[in-house]
């Protein structure tokens, strides 16, 4: 028999591999579905790629790759018979076979036992070889099988227990020098001191400078000013604003080039007025004095006091909480209740699967289609059979709950390269929504982009208070952020009385009185949104100087789906993060037609289109010329990072050079944008370095204000058309940061497109490729304008003190009834708490 098995496997021996260090073995989840070894058909693991496939998808992989040998894994779970082993450890057969296999079912180990089976299957004839079969199999096959069965989970490195082990104490923490410069960091309103960016901000622990972080692969992040500041000053440690809790914060060491721990963080932050130790919280994330009101909030939002009826079937599939992953689950539940997302991914399921790459676990569209099918097929949301219901009644047990699907593979892919979403910490659902929309847009080139339904144009009117002249600009957005004005509460007397009693109880050390929640009319939130706001550091082009300015915002277009975020989260004066405890009765029907923008009015006078002066450090002409004649500087470490990804070396050098040595992340975007060009892998040739005509003013690129090619390359690598990059640079004296802002605030038009060709080549010799690019570009962001009347169909609620802790639940209106999605539990809602939501989703009412 041994000889027969050996001969049977001989033709396939070259395709059977032993997993090496770095190989990921997917033995608990199918790449195309949520089938697992516990599913009816089990799971098939390819013995060459180590990808897992359910029974209905393994044939596709065999046909596409020609791989014939798979390991079939099957786990059978059954309830223990009466009197069997009592409360002992559940019985296993072949217990070592599935070592380190993630158990997908939440069964009580005292009540269930399971049997594991493993066998090799040879396609296409489905010849099966039971395992273990050590004596009869060739040694290589035996070693490969043992390695697969004992392989660690590919997601293990993202689990909570592994994070603390990876981060070490910084060598700079104990002796960190802090300047006594009087800097105090405010609790809100932060922005980068160099580019005014308001996200991904870091405060340097030596001098208190607030600067932006680096650019991420997904297009988020900053302009790298925090790192630039370190290179100028050698101040090594910085902490990320918005991550500070009593347990610590995200601290980065520029010198050690990694995330670090700072045992003296509280002392270092206190130097700049941040008292992190006052933010005391209990295990569930709330202060002891806040337990009563928070419990009430949890009960109301989760409808804990009601006997909710579970629902099953298509569109009613729950999502398992992986530990602080509810922000992701609720967002995806809402998105896949939208027909455009269903059509783009589930409607094109077979085409997406058929054209998926060899590793579908790393393909965004494949994983989105897989998730959409998992939620909408009903395959993973089946009601209990009649016999189970009868047994539950006899045992007087709670109602059956579905298992839900686990999004480990999806979370690993969508959070890859992002320092926050790739962690095991709780995150802001609004930030993840925007992050996912960005990924949908990037992966929808050449096909329908379902995220277009959220996009709208905002018209911003800025007025100089002194000259009374105005400027109108436009920007694209996906979310309407509504303030929650506490001063507009209709129960002010109650709130004042409660605050007096609370302070009195605090002084006398008595238990606090029952909390009172502020009730704010929705109309007051809309009114606050439309109120003029002061513009910080406003530079008036009419006065050619800084002046007071105010800005108002209106809708230039209305989206197909309107997403409204209530701005509930803020910081107190003592730097303690807090959530406004407010109740806002959101309307089921909403009409915002009156917020339609009107544009420039007849009696208004526009501000001159003059950019503010840019201060350029004085530099001797000879030194400038010497710098220009030197060979181009290229960050070789960034080049090697790209080369290790498999890109040609010369292409990597060009990418790093044309993106101004801003790092591998930005250079990677350049590579993706230019890899189809015929000279992609040709050696780098920089005009002007080989020969310079000293008599020509073109010898120094800035002499005639012609945009530098490297700045153009950076902007085009971000996805902007070349002509638009040239326009932005030309309008801002070639300042890259100001050009980026100019592009966002000046949606292109046909006239601008035509003028851009002149900018591209003053001699009229613009290349055909540049002209073709300009002609083929759409005129501005794609929007679906229409009437401003909407109906509420979903909302996401947050429970807890801040977005860094707590829990998310969503309610979705389906088939005329509200349904609550609370992780894997899906039930009919009896009292949807529409007044306590965080993010609301409205769809347009057809006219």
């Amino acid at each position: 028999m041994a000889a027969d098995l050996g001969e049977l496997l001989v033709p396939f021996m070259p395709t059977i591999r032993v997993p090496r260090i770095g190989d990921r073995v997917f033995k608990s989840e199918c790449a195309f579905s949520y089938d697992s070894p516990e599913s009816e058909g089990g799971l098939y693991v390819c013995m060459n790629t180590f990808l897992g496939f359910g029974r209905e998808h393994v044939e596709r992989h065999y046909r596409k790759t020609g791989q014939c040998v798979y390991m079939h894994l099957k786990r059978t779970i059954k309830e223990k018979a009466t009197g069997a082993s009592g409360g002992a450890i559940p019985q296993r057969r072949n217990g070592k076979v599935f070592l380190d296999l993630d158990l997908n079912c939440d069964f009580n180990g005292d009540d269930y036992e399971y049997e594991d089976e493993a066998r090799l299957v040879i396609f296409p004839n489905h010849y099966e070889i039971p395992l273990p079969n050590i004596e009869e199999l060739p040694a290589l096959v035996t070693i490969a099988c043992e390695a697969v069965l004992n392989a660690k989970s590919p997601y293990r490195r993202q689990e909570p227990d592994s994070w603390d082990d990876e981060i070490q104490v910084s060598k700079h923490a104990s002796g960190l020098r802090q300047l006594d410069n009087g800097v105090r960091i405010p609790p809100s309103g932060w922005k980068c001191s160099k580019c005014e960016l308001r996200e991904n901000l870091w405060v340097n622990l030596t001098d208190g400078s607030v600067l932006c972080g680096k650019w991420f692969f997904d297009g988020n992040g900053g302009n790298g000013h925090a790192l630039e500041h370190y290179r100028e000053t050698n101040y090594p440690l910085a902490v990320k604003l918005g991550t500070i809790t009593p347990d610590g914060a995200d601290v980065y060491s520029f010198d050690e080039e990694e995330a670090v721990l700072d045992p003296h963080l509280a002392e270092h932050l206190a130097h700049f007025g941040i008292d992190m130790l006052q933010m005391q919280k209990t295990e569930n994330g709330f202060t002891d004095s806040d337990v009563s009101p928070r419990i009430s909030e949890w009960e109301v939002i989760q409808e804990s006091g009601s006997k909710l009826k579970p629902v099953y079937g298509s569109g009613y599939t729950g999502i398992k909480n992986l530990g602080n992953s509810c922000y992701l689950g609720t967002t995806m539940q809402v998105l896949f209740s939208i027909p455009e997302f269903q059509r783009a991914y589930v409607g094109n399921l077979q085409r997406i699967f058929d054209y998926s790459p060899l590793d579908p676990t790393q393909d965004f569209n494949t994983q989105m289609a897989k998730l959409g099918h998992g939620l909408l097929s009903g395959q993973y949301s089946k009601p209990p059979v009649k016999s189970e219901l009868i047994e539950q009644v006899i045992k007087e047990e709670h109602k059956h709950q579905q298992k839900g699907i686990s999004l480990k593979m999806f979370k690993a892919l969508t959070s890859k390269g992002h320092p926050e979403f790739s962690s095991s910490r709780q995150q802001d659902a609004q930030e993840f929504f925007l992050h996912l929309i960005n990924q949908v847009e990037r992966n929808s080139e050449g096909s329908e982009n379902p995220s277009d339904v959220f996009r709208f144009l905002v018209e911003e009117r800025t007025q100089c208070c002194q000259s009374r002249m105005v400027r109108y600009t436009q920007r694209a957005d996906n979310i309407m952020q509504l303030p929650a004005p506490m001063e507009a509460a209709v129960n002010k007397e109650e709130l004042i009385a409660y605050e007096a009693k609370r302070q009195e109880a605090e002084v006398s050390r008595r238990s606090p009185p029952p909390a009172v929640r502020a009730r704010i009319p929705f109309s007051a939130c809309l009114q606050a949104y439309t109120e003029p706001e002061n513009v910080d550091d406003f530079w008036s082009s009419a006065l050619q100087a800084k002046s007071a300015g105010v800005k108002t915002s209106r809708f230039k277009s209305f989206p197909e789906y309107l997403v409204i975020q209530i701005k509930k989260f803020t910081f107190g004066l003592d730097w303690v993060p807090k959530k406004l405890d407010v109740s806002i009765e959101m309307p089921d029907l909403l009409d915002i037609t009156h917020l339609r923008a009107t544009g420039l009015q007849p009696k208004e006078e526009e501000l001159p289109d003059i950019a503010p002066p840019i201060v350029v450090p004085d530099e001797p002409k000879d030194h400038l010329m010497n710098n220009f004649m030197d060979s181009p500087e290229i960050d070789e470490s960034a080049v090697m990072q790209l080369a290790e990804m498999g890109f040609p070396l010369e292409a990597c050098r060009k990418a790093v050079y044309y993106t101004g040595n801003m790092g591998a992340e930005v250079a990677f975007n350049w590579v993706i944008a230019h890899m189809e060009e015929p000279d992609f892998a040709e050696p780098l040739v920089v005009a002007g370095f080989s020969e310079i005509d000293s008599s020509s003013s073109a010898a120094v690129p800035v002499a005639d204000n012609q945009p530098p090619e490297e700045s153009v390359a950076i902007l085009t690598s971000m996805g902007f058309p070349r002509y638009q990059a040239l326009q932005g640079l030309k309008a801002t004296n070639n300042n890259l940061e100001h050009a980026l802002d100019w592009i966002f605030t000046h949606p292109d038009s046909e006239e601008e497109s035509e003028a851009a060709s002149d900018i591209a080549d003053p001699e009229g010799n613009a290349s055909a490729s540049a002209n073709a690019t300009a002609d083929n570009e759409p005129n501005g962001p794609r929007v679906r304008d229409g009437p401003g009347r909407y109906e509420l169909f979903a909302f996401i609620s947050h429970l807890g003190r801040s977005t860094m802790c707590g829990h998310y639940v969503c309610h979705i209106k389906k088939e005329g009834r509200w349904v609550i999605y609370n992780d894997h539990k899906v039930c009919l809602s009896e009292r949807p708490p529409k007044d306590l939501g965080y993010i609301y989703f409205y769809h347009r009412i057809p006219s």
Side-chain angles (χ1 to χ4, degrees), residues 323-564:
N324 290 329
S325 68
C326 48
Y327 68 91
L328 181 150
T330 52
T331 302
M332 300 315 299
Q333 289 281 16
V334 174
L335 288 183
F336 274 108
S337 70
I338 296 175
E340 283 78 2
F341 276 81
Q342 297 174 1
R343 182 170 61 249
Y345 295 106
V346 183
N348 294 314
L349 185 79
Q350 291 305 320
R351 181 183 62 82
I352 293 174
F353 283 0
D354 289 341
Y355 289 96
S356 64
L358 293 180
D359 186 357
T361 68
Q362 299 301 301
D363 182 63
F364 179 80
N365 289 334
T366 299
Q367 293 307 310
M368 283 289 284
K370 166 185 169 179
L371 174 55
H373 179 263
L375 293 176
L376 301 175
S377 65
Q379 184 176 340
Y380 306 98
S381 176
K382 297 180 179 179
V385 297
K386 187 175 180 180
S387 58
E388 292 179 352
L389 288 173
I390 295 174
E391 189 173 351
Q392 289 170 17
V393 171
I394 294 175
K395 293 183 177 181
E396 298 182 350
E397 292 181 347
H398 295 293
K399 292 183 178 180
H400 174 85
Q401 294 287 354
Q402 58 172 284
K403 305 168 188 175
I405 57 178
S406 174
L407 305 190
K408 285 186 176 181
M409 188 178 295
F410 182 81
K411 183 178 186 294
L413 175 63
T414 56
S415 64
K416 186 177 181 181
H418 196 288
E420 293 300 325
F421 298 129
S422 61
S423 74
S424 57
R425 298 183 291 271
Q426 185 64 278
Q427 303 297 331
D428 189 339
Q430 178 257 359
E431 292 181 0
F432 179 76
F433 170 78
L434 294 178
H435 170 75
L436 190 85
I437 292 304
N438 183 39
Q439 292 192 323
V440 170
E441 291 180 351
R442 287 168 46 213
N443 289 277
S444 297
E445 189 173 349
S447 60
E448 177 187 7
N449 179 5
S451 67
D452 286 346
V453 300
F454 300 120
R455 191 181 300 107
F456 58 92
L457 294 179
V458 177
E459 179 183 270
E460 292 184 339
R461 177 186 181 272
T462 306
Q463 183 174 39
C464 172
C465 295
Q466 189 169 343
S467 68
R468 311 305 296 175
M469 300 176 73
V470 299
R471 174 181 293 119
Y472 284 86
T473 57
Q474 294 180 15
R475 61 177 171 84
D477 211 335
N478 292 292
I479 289 185
M480 180 186 187
Q481 294 183 309
L482 279 186
M486 297 294 290
E487 65 277 7
V490 297
N491 58 337
K492 287 182 182 179
E493 293 77 8
E494 281 186 89
L495 293 171
I496 294 173
Y498 162 73
E499 184 61 23
K501 292 179 181 178
R502 188 193 64 80
Q503 292 180 4
E504 181 183 341
E506 186 176 328
V507 171
S508 59
R509 297 187 177 182
R510 298 196 310 267
S511 58
V516 177
R517 178 172 290 121
R519 298 195 304 274
I520 302 175
F522 175 74
S523 58
C525 299
L526 268 187
Q527 180 64 31
Y529 174 82
T530 60
E531 289 291 329
E533 60 177 301
N534 294 326
V535 181
D536 296 330
D537 299 324
F538 175 69
W539 188 85
S540 172
S541 59
L543 306 175
Q544 296 286 299
K546 285 190 176 182
S547 173
V550 293
K551 180 177 67 176
T552 54
S553 300
R554 295 293 187 272
F555 285 83
K556 185 68 175 179
S557 68
F558 291 123
E560 185 77 21
Y561 288 82
L562 178 65
V563 183
I564 298 179

Side-chain angles (χ1 to χ4, degrees), residues 697-698 700-707 730 734 762:
S697 62
V700 181
V702 297
D704 63 350
N705 202 32
Q706 188 67 16
K730 193 77 172 179
N734 297 329

Side-chain angles (χ1 to χ4, degrees), residues 178-184 204 206-209 235 271-272:
Q178 292 190 284
L179 304 184
D180 190 11
N181 53 10
V183 172
R184 291 294 180 268
N204 190 286
T206 296
D207 64 357
S209 298
Y235 298 157
H271 183 82
F272 300 111

Side-chain angles (χ1 to χ4, degrees), residues 533-668:
E533 60 177 301
N534 294 326
V535 181
D536 296 330
D537 299 324
F538 175 69
W539 188 85
S540 172
S541 59
L543 306 175
Q544 296 286 299
K546 285 190 176 182
S547 173
V550 293
K551 180 177 67 176
T552 54
S553 300
R554 295 293 187 272
F555 285 83
K556 185 68 175 179
S557 68
F558 291 123
E560 185 77 21
Y561 288 82
L562 178 65
V563 183
I564 298 179
Q565 175 200 13
I566 304 298
K567 298 169 70 174
K568 289 187 172 184
F569 299 99
T570 183
F571 285 85
L573 295 177
D574 54 0
W575 254 89
V576 177
K578 64 178 183 179
K579 176 173 142 185
L580 301 178
D581 191 10
V582 297
S583 168
I584 302 174
E585 196 62 48
M586 299 294 289
D588 288 312
L589 300 178
L590 174 62
D591 189 346
I592 56 173
T593 306
H594 63 286
L595 297 182
R596 170 80 72 172
T598 57
L600 184 68
Q601 297 300 295
K603 294 183 179 180
E604 292 180 332
E605 186 177 356
E606 284 192 279
L607 284 163
D609 194 7
I610 302 174
I614 300 173
V615 179
V616 180
D618 294 333
E619 201 167 17
K621 184 176 180 180
D622 293 341
H623 178 67
L624 179 62
M625 183 62 69
N626 290 337
N627 283 348
F628 184 69
M629 295 187 66
D630 290 340
S631 58
E633 294 184 3
I634 298 178
D635 184 354
E636 294 297 335
S637 63
V639 172
M640 294 312 298
Q641 288 184 54
L642 292 175
E644 289 174 357
M645 299 180 191
F647 300 116
L649 181 61
E650 287 300 329
C652 299
R653 288 176 58 80
K654 288 198 291 187
V656 174
Y657 171 73
Y658 284 127
T659 54
N661 291 312
M662 293 181 69
E665 292 90 345
V666 178
F668 175 80

Side-chain angles (χ1 to χ4, degrees), residues 127-399:
Y127 190 90
E128 297 184 354
I129 303 174
L131 295 175
N133 212 333
I134 299 176
E135 297 180 355
E136 300 179 357
L137 294 177
L140 174 65
V141 178
T142 299
I143 295 172
C145 291
E146 284 292 325
V148 168
L149 292 171
N150 291 287
K152 299 292 183 182
S153 166
Y155 315 110
R156 176 60 57 87
R157 67 179 182 277
Q158 296 191 8
E159 293 176 1
D161 294 340
S162 65
W163 282 88
D164 293 337
D165 296 336
E166 295 176 5
I167 303 178
Q168 304 298 323
V169 174
S170 171
K171 63 182 181 182
H172 300 287
S174 58
L176 183 70
R177 183 169 67 97
Q178 292 190 284
L179 304 184
D180 190 11
N181 53 10
V183 172
R184 291 294 180 268
I185 309 297
S188 61
W190 317 303
K191 61 182 178 180
C192 175
S193 59
K194 290 191 177 182
C195 68
E196 300 190 354
L197 199 70
R198 295 180 181 271
E199 60 181 15
N200 190 25
L201 298 177
W202 297 75
V203 56
N204 190 286
L205 290 178
T206 296
D207 64 357
S209 298
V210 176
L211 299 159
C212 59
K214 65 179 182 177
W215 194 273
F216 302 136
F217 281 98
D218 64 356
N220 293 318
N223 296 314
H225 287 136
L227 176 59
E228 181 181 301
H229 183 67
Y230 161 71
R231 290 171 177 167
E232 295 171 354
T233 62
N234 286 325
Y235 298 157
L237 298 184
V239 61
K240 186 172 184 181
L241 291 172
T243 67
I244 303 170
T245 71
D247 301 322
D250 291 350
V251 183
Y252 187 82
S253 171
F254 296 107
D255 178 45
E256 296 157 283
E257 297 185 345
E258 63 180 351
V260 295
L261 295 177
D262 180 3
H264 310 285
L265 182 60
E267 176 186 344
H268 292 157
L269 290 173
H271 183 82
F272 300 111
I274 306 172
D275 191 351
M276 62 177 283
L277 295 183
Q278 288 189 10
M279 296 182 281
Q280 298 296 329
K281 64 177 186 177
T282 58
E283 185 176 353
N284 64 356
F286 308 109
T287 58
D288 292 335
S289 62
D290 283 340
V291 169
S292 295
R294 294 307 131 194
I295 290 178
S296 174
E297 180 186 57
W298 282 64
E299 288 178 347
V300 172
I301 292 179
Q302 296 186 107
E303 304 184 54
S304 301
S306 305
K307 295 182 179 180
L308 303 180
K309 179 182 178 181
V311 286
Y312 306 91
S314 174
Y316 299 109
T317 303
I319 297 177
K320 291 184 64 176
N321 194 328
L322 306 176
N324 290 329
S325 68
C326 48
Y327 68 91
L328 181 150
T330 52
T331 302
M332 300 315 299
Q333 289 281 16
V334 174
L335 288 183
F336 274 108
S337 70
I338 296 175
E340 283 78 2
F341 276 81
Q342 297 174 1
R343 182 170 61 249
Y345 295 106
V346 183
N348 294 314
L349 185 79
Q350 291 305 320
R351 181 183 62 82
I352 293 174
F353 283 0
D354 289 341
Y355 289 96
S356 64
L358 293 180
D359 186 357
T361 68
Q362 299 301 301
D363 182 63
F364 179 80
N365 289 334
T366 299
Q367 293 307 310
M368 283 289 284
K370 166 185 169 179
L371 174 55
H373 179 263
L375 293 176
L376 301 175
S377 65
Q379 184 176 340
Y380 306 98
S381 176
K382 297 180 179 179
V385 297
K386 187 175 180 180
S387 58
E388 292 179 352
L389 288 173
I390 295 174
E391 189 173 351
Q392 289 170 17
V393 171
I394 294 175
K395 293 183 177 181
E396 298 182 350
E397 292 181 347
H398 295 293
K399 292 183 178 180

